[in-house]
Amino acid sequence: MIELAPHHVPTLTHWFPAGTPGPAAIGEHMMATGIGRWWADRPVQPRAVAASCAGYVVLRGSPEALTPEILAPLAGTRIDAPPRFLPALGAAFERLTPWDRMIWTLQAEPQPARVPLGVTVRRLEPADTDALAALGPDAAWISASWGGLLGLASSGHGWAAASRKGGGSWPSPAHTSGATSTRTSGCIRCRTTAAIASVWPASTR
């Protein structure tokens, strides 16, 4: 596929409708933040478009014009695409591994949550970059979708919940769209728990 220049991006809005839950939110996130890469089978009046960010790809459009050579730049990524793309993807890559995902959708108005005693919830700040690095490689895709650790810490869309009981905190990642989910991990040595959540910008929820 051909990588598109930034000035082409506004013309792609209709490919990724606002408020779409699940992986399709990647397109909205990229339009709002400018982070990621856009691909198409051709620069003018494309028939197929791909939005790529942090190793994830959302592929939309018509697969008829997609040859193995055109799809080659998407090798090694996690691709979300309608079933009609399977023949083209199967012809382009030696192996396809299905990946079933659970998508959370907003079914009711959010309810106020009470913060447990002894827990502080706040936005991430640039000074939290080292704490984000401590999440390890399994969480790298979260910061990658914000242009790196500093990008996530400075975005204003990252939140941390940490115990006030001494010691350092060990965040556990969650990345959500349209709903909030966090996993918590306890550190016996530090006697503390923490959670960190990164959410899409308000314009993409």
Side-chain angles (χ1 to χ4, degrees), residues 103-186:
I103 298 176
W104 289 14
T105 59
L106 193 61
Q107 301 294 327
E109 288 298 318
Q111 300 298 311
R114 179 177 298 177
V115 178
L117 185 65
V119 173
T120 298
V121 178
R122 62 172 178 81
R123 291 182 187 272
L124 293 175
E125 301 172 348
D128 296 312
T129 301
D130 289 342
L132 291 175
L135 290 172
D138 288 344
W141 67 275
I142 300 176
S143 55
S145 67
W146 290 96
L149 297 172
L150 182 59
L152 172 57
S154 306
S155 69
H157 296 284
W159 292 80
S163 171
R164 301 172 188 169
K165 298 179 181 178
S169 62
W170 293 82
S172 178
H175 198 77
T176 63
S177 173
T180 299
S181 167
T182 59
R183 299 195 306 270
T184 59
S185 62

Side-chain angles (χ1 to χ4, degrees), residues 171-201:
S172 178
H175 198 77
T176 63
S177 173
T180 299
S181 167
T182 59
R183 299 195 306 270
T184 59
S185 62
C187 177
I188 297 175
R189 181 179 180 184
C190 297
R191 295 185 180 277
T192 183
T193 61
I196 187 170
S198 170
V199 300
W200 301 121

Side-chain angles (χ1 to χ4, degrees), residues 77-79 86 89 95-101:
T77 61
R78 298 173 176 87
I79 300 175
L86 283 176
L89 292 171
R95 185 178 66 178
L96 296 179
T97 303
W99 184 24
D100 293 326
R101 302 191 66 183

